[in-house]
Amino acid sequence: MERNNLLLLFCLLMLLSCRKSAGPQAIKAPANLRYIQIADAREGKAVVTFAPTIETGGLLPVFEIEGVKDSAGNLLDASFLEYVSIGESIHSSVNISEGLTDENGTSIKAIPVVNSASNGVITIATGHKFTAGDYYFIIKVSTQHNGMEYATVFDKGFHLHVAPLLPATLVYSPKNQNLVYGNSSSKTTAPIMPNANPDVSFELATGADKLRIDNKTGSISIAPGYAYSKYDTLRPSIKVVSNISGEAVLFENKITTIITDKPEIMPVETIYFFYPTLKTTGSFPTGGEGFSVQVIQAGNGDDMWGEVDNSNGRALVAPNERPKENTTQTVLETQTHNSSNVTRPTTSWMVTTPQDLTPFQYGYQLSFNYYYMPAFQTYMSDGRTPTDLEVYISTDYAGGSIQDAEGNWLNGTWTRVNDDIVCQRSEGVNSSSVSTGAPWGPQFTGTPYPGDQKGADPDHKKRPALGTFYGKWVKCTYNISTNQLSPTFTVAFKVASYFEGELRNNTAAPGRGGIYFLSDFNYRAVEP
């Protein structure tokens, strides 16, 4: 206690000393704003700066973004700033249990504390509109002293260089394509690069002795001088080079060319063109690979779309479709109750990265897929579940908050699709009887009601014939119709609460919100 009081007294003396030394002769407008250059900013990808340095004469600065200019000096429209925010200092106070007085003898009950770690930190959200190029942020920095404001507007306060978004995948449709020897017009289709910057060139990394590639379109044909002798199956590696930055990405096993001396029908393929690892860190992240998080009401759980903690969520056996390169695949966990089984209302969104589905408009059967587990949910006194995992889609979401605390829609047009999702319940368990995934039970339509399906059913959603879903993995597929194809198709998951007050999972206040695990979200395209 004595040590804490001495520390508080030291903080107070330092505060008073700073106030005394900040005389008029020391005050000047903020100067020399400096940000560390961001080296890996990409089109559409989230960007977070380090806190800047600024000379203010010891006063606390306030940062505001007044606009953004491109490299030609043109002021960008306000829509660019919808994805941009700048951090502020957090003001709080530390209460003093034993009385102290200042130099005037006035009793001090609390000492103000300022956390400026996020002050001036610029955050640009996933899905932003900055294309490849250079941008300059107009930043106003102001301070106050004795009722006077001191401000400077930095016309090039922060320089953002955005590199082109390189292709994450290369899609030839169909994957297996027939090249007919002797037919000079025989060639493959041009590849699709979902969401990537299209200003690229194509090269063959292997197979150039038998094939050639159009460096502008990526279409492949038989090389001049090739001599056909028999049915020839080739799987060329393809290098895609950005014409903007010169960076190259190598793709393997993206197309199979089968050379024959007469046309033949080729087998079709299934393509997983967006399969993020969902990698994140900590229990309360703002997002991760392939998703962002929006918190409306925090509740009292120990995880909110964080990396899995509970052992039940770790038992999922990797699905067969999971890419081999996804070595950091992460199960996300959201807890709605605490270690004392107390549940308070909570609302949060996990928003997946928008996808351009328009390249798949020519006959592909499209779907998004995921695995989730509702675990430890128990019902309230009237038989209802306290929480559920709601699933929404939007074809016009352009970023920003989806809902406010009152449930009003803010950005995008959203449709709940739980009733249209095709599901299968896990029948696999490990030696501890924990759900592991495959094998999967029969298909049914509509995501299951959480819990064991027993008791009163005022929501008319329990399905006892399907068995319990208490701690069971569920395999889910939503088939995307052609009229839903858009450049900004977005899937969002919402952990929602349906009660007020507090549940304690006992006879006085029955019900427990439980835990939701989510893994292996992906998009699938089946060739026509």
Side-chain angles (χ1 to χ4, degrees):
M1 178 64 73
E2 181 179 347
R3 177 178 296 177
N4 289 340
N5 284 339
L6 288 173
L7 178 59
L8 291 171
L9 180 59
F10 173 76
C11 292
L12 176 63
L13 292 174
M14 288 295 292
L15 180 62
L16 292 174
S17 174
C18 289
R19 286 178 175 173
K20 285 181 179 180
S21 63
Q25 71 281 0
I27 305 302
K28 59 181 181 179
N32 295 325
L33 176 63
R34 294 285 186 273
Y35 280 90
I36 297 176
Q37 181 73 33
I38 301 297
D40 57 351
R42 294 278 178 185
E43 293 173 305
K45 298 294 185 181
V47 177
V48 181
T49 71
F50 292 98
T53 60
I54 182 77
E55 295 176 12
T56 64
L59 299 177
L60 185 66
V62 175
F63 296 85
E64 302 172 65
I65 298 176
E66 296 198 334
V68 183
K69 293 181 179 180
D70 61 20
S71 57
N74 300 311
L75 187 66
L76 304 183
D77 65 67
S79 65
F80 283 80
L81 291 178
E82 292 178 1
Y83 298 82
V84 182
S85 61
I86 192 163
E88 302 175 347
S89 294
I90 300 173
H91 296 261
S92 59
S93 61
V94 177
N95 294 326
I96 300 175
S97 57
E98 297 182 11
L100 291 175
T101 58
D102 62 16
E103 59 185 1
N104 299 317
T106 303
S107 178
I108 298 174
K109 300 298 184 183
I111 293 178
V113 176
V114 177
N115 182 349
S116 61
S118 298
N119 199 21
V121 172
I122 297 173
T123 301
I124 305 174
T126 299
H128 62 79
K129 298 175 63 175
F130 296 98
T131 56
D134 292 280
Y135 301 90
Y136 299 90
F137 285 58
I138 305 168
I139 300 176
K140 177 184 176 181
V141 185
S142 59
T143 59
Q144 287 195 355
H145 181 68
N146 291 338
M148 293 288 293
E149 180 181 85
Y150 302 84
T152 304
V153 175
F154 297 89
D155 194 53
K156 294 184 177 181
F158 170 58
H159 172 213
L160 174 67
H161 175 74
V162 178
L165 184 60
L166 302 177
T169 189
L170 192 68
V171 180
Y172 281 88
S173 175
K175 183 178 179 181
N176 300 316
Q177 300 202 33
N178 184 208
L179 295 178
V180 181
Y181 180 72
N183 183 347
S184 60
S185 63
S186 180
K187 60 182 180 180
T188 70
T189 59
I192 301 166
M193 301 181 298
N195 302 318
N197 190 302
D199 191 2
V200 298
S201 298
F202 298 90
E203 301 175 7
L204 286 176
T206 62
D209 56 329
K210 297 182 178 181
L211 302 171
R212 66 178 178 182
I213 191 168
D214 187 310
N215 71 334
K216 293 182 179 180
T217 67
S219 178
I220 298 172
S221 57
I222 300 173
Y226 173 81
Y228 179 80
S229 60
K230 61 179 181 179
Y231 191 95
D232 203 352
T233 302
L234 304 171
R235 297 179 177 85
S237 298
I238 299 165
K239 184 187 295 185
V240 181
V241 182
S242 169
N243 294 331
I244 300 172
S245 65
E247 298 168 287
V249 182
L250 181 66
F251 293 99
E252 298 176 335
N253 195 32
K254 296 300 180 181
I255 185 170
T256 300
T257 58
I258 301 173
I259 302 177
T260 60
D261 58 354
K262 58 183 179 180
E264 293 192 12
I265 297 175
M266 301 289 105
V268 299
E269 294 280 342
T270 298
I271 304 164
Y272 293 89
F273 62 91
F274 181 70
Y275 204 125
T277 64
L278 305 181
K279 181 181 179 181
T280 191
T281 57
S283 296
F284 298 93
T286 58
E289 183 180 320
F291 73 99
S292 61
V293 174
Q294 298 179 16
V295 179
I296 307 299
Q297 191 172 12
N300 63 328
D302 293 331
D303 285 273
M304 186 171 291
W305 301 111
E307 56 184 337
V308 61
D309 287 331
N310 189 281
S311 59
N312 282 50
R314 298 180 184 276
L316 177 67
V317 175
N320 292 333
E321 67 270 21
R322 181 186 294 175
K324 293 181 180 179
E325 59 267 25
N326 282 28
T327 57
T328 59
Q329 196 73 46
T330 301
V331 175
L332 302 181
E333 176 177 340
T334 298
Q335 297 182 12
T336 67
H337 66 271
N338 63 17
S339 58
S340 299
N341 285 322
V342 174
T343 307
R344 297 188 184 120
T346 182
T347 305
S348 63
W349 289 85
M350 181 274 212
V351 187
T352 64
T353 303
Q355 296 298 304
D356 182 1
L357 301 187
T358 57
F360 300 96
Q361 60 188 300
Y362 300 109
Y364 279 90
Q365 298 175 14
L366 282 174
S367 64
F368 69 80
N369 313 274
Y370 63 97
Y371 297 79
Y372 87 108
M373 177 198 287
F376 308 114
Q377 287 81 15
T378 60
Y379 301 129
M380 297 184 289
S381 59
D382 61 359
R384 292 182 302 119
T385 180
T387 65
D388 201 357
L389 185 67
E390 300 177 354
V391 188
Y392 292 81
I393 62 171
S394 174
T395 58
D396 61 0
Y397 178 63
S401 298
I402 294 176
Q403 274 185 317
D404 62 18
E406 286 71 44
N408 299 309
W409 299 103
L410 300 178
N411 291 287
T413 305
W414 294 90
T415 302
R416 187 177 175 186
V417 295
N418 289 71
D419 291 343
D420 301 314
I421 294 175
V422 178
C423 304
Q424 293 175 271
R425 191 186 76 151
S426 167
E427 302 298 337
V429 295
N430 62 17
S431 59
S432 300
S433 298
V434 176
S435 180
T436 58
W440 300 96
Q443 288 187 349
F444 57 92
T445 301
T447 56
Y449 201 69
D452 61 11
Q453 313 299 302
K454 297 178 180 179
D457 184 20
D459 285 338
H460 306 290
K461 292 183 177 180
K462 293 180 181 178
R463 291 183 277 183
L466 296 177
T468 181
F469 287 91
Y470 187 99
K472 289 290 186 180
W473 281 104
V474 184
K475 181 180 181 181
C476 300
T477 295
Y478 178 82
N479 295 309
I480 303 169
S481 63
T482 55
N483 62 1
Q484 293 172 327
L485 301 183
S486 82
T488 56
F489 188 91
T490 309
V491 180
F493 298 90
K494 177 185 179 182
V495 172
S497 300
Y498 311 119
F499 68 97
E500 296 179 354
E502 184 175 273
L503 304 175
R504 307 193 68 84
N505 202 39
N506 57 24
T507 55
R512 181 174 61 201
I515 300 175
Y516 292 92
F517 301 100
L518 180 74
S519 186
D520 288 88
F521 175 83
N522 64 80
Y523 284 85
R524 180 175 63 224
V526 180
E527 292 178 338

